[in-house]
Amino acid sequence: GQQVMQIPQYQHVQEGEDFTTYCNSSTTLSNIQWYKQRPGGHPVFLIQLVKSGEVKKQKRLTFQFGEAKKNSSLHITATQTTDVGTYFCAGQSPGGGADGLTFGKGTHLIIQP
Amino acid sequence: AAGVIQSPRHLIKEKRETATLKCYPIPRHDTVYWYQQGPGQDPQFLISFYEKMQSDKGSIPDRFSAQQFSDYHSELNMSSLELGDSALYFCASSPREGEQYFGPGTRLTVT
C-alpha cells in the first residue's frame, strides 16, 4: 500500500531560525495536504497542493510539490513560538475524491526562545 | 464558523464492551472520514463515506463498523473492545475532494 515518509521526526530550532520538513511518497499522489497539530489538539488543514511542481506561500510558510507528484516540503521562515506543533504531510491517492489520507509520521517542531 | 462536532469527547470502556462514537460534519459537507490516532502517532485512516455510501476503507478492524445517515452525521461502532483500541478517534468532513476539516476528537480509553 501507499506509504508516506516524513523527515525529520523532531526539529529543535532557536526562535527566528528557519525550519523545513520533507515528505516522500512511495506512489504518485493525486494531491498532498499539510496539517498542523498542536499538543492536545486536532489536525488543522494548512494547504493542499495538486499540480506538479506547484509552490504555494502563506505568509512565512512555503509549500512545494515535486515534479513527479511524489514529494513535498514545507519551509517556515523565521520561526515564532506560535509555530510550535507537529506538522504532518498527508497524501491522497489518485483513486477518488473521498479516499482517505495517508499521513506521514509528522515532524515535531520545538522552538527555543 | 461551524466546525465538525464529535461526541462524546471522552469515553472510558472496559475490555469486550462496545462503544459508539458520533460525528456531525460541517453543514453542506457531504464526505466524512474517520481516523484513529494512537499516542505520539500519525492519524490512521479507517473509513470514509460520500453521500451516505461507503467510499474508501483503510485499516478498520472487522470489529468496527460505521455508517452515514440521511442527515449526514456518521457513527463509528466498535465492539469487543481491546486495550489496543485506546486512542484518539477523529472525524473529518470535506466539501469536495481535498481539504479535510477535523473535529476535536473522541478520546477512548479501554481498561
Side-chain angles (χ1 to χ4, degrees):
Chain A
Q2 180 183 86
Q3 289 185 319
V4 175
M5 282 72 71
Q6 188 174 356
I7 58 168
Q9 187 176 358
Y10 293 91
Q11 184 74 61
H12 292 78
V13 301
Q14 296 282 341
E15 187 176 8
E17 291 183 336
D18 293 356
F19 158 78
T20 305
T21 172
Y22 301 90
C23 198
N24 192 52
S25 169
S26 58
T27 59
T28 302
L29 299 169
S30 165
N31 66 80
I32 195 157
Q33 300 173 31
W34 286 89
Y35 292 81
K36 176 182 179 182
Q37 186 174 23
R38 288 201 167 98
H42 59 276
V44 175
F45 174 79
L46 294 177
I47 208 153
Q48 176 181 261
L49 304 170
V50 179
K51 299 176 184 175
S52 169
E54 190 169 15
V55 177
K56 286 189 176 180
K57 293 190 176 184
Q58 287 180 350
K59 297 183 181 178
R60 295 179 293 104
L61 278 62
T62 301
F63 304 84
Q64 295 189 350
F65 201 11
E67 294 291 338
K69 299 184 71 172
K70 293 177 73 172
N71 62 322
S72 181
S73 65
L74 158 60
H75 180 82
I76 302 178
T77 304
T79 55
Q80 300 174 358
T81 54
T82 53
D83 295 326
V84 164
T86 301
Y87 292 85
F88 290 100
C89 62
Q92 196 164 41
S93 68
D99 279 6
L101 296 171
T102 300
F103 280 77
K105 295 297 181 189
T107 296
H108 302 262
L109 174 60
I110 298 132
I111 298 177
Q112 294 151 344
Chain B
V4 175
I5 297 171
Q6 290 187 247
S7 67
R9 295 292 309 277
H10 301 271
L11 190 58
I12 300 175
K13 290 285 185 178
E14 295 187 354
K15 283 195 305 184
R16 293 180 289 278
E17 285 191 320
T18 61
T20 297
L21 310 185
K22 296 185 178 183
C23 169
Y24 298 85
I26 293 171
R28 292 180 294 282
H29 283 196
D30 52 19
T31 307
V32 166
Y33 306 81
W34 286 97
Y35 292 87
Q36 177 192 59
Q37 187 176 31
Q41 303 294 314
D42 55 292
Q44 294 290 314
F45 170 66
L46 295 177
I47 195 166
S48 64
F49 293 87
Y50 170 69
E51 282 291 343
K52 294 155 280 186
M53 299 287 289
Q54 182 182 310
S55 179
D56 189 20
K57 205 170 181 180
S59 53
I60 185 168
D62 291 341
R63 299 177 289 108
F64 294 6
S65 64
Q67 57 182 325
Q68 187 178 29
F69 295 86
S70 58
D71 64 351
Y72 293 96
H73 95 272
S74 178
E75 295 183 3
L76 177 66
N77 299 293
M78 312 160 73
S79 63
S80 303
L81 287 169
E82 302 173 357
L83 294 178
D85 296 329
S86 295
L88 261 174
Y89 289 84
F90 289 108
C91 170
S93 73
S94 175
R96 57 189 177 277
E97 179 179 343
E99 56 200 84
Q100 296 181 19
Y101 297 87
F102 282 71
T106 294
R107 183 173 296 282
L108 172 66
T109 303
V110 181
T111 62

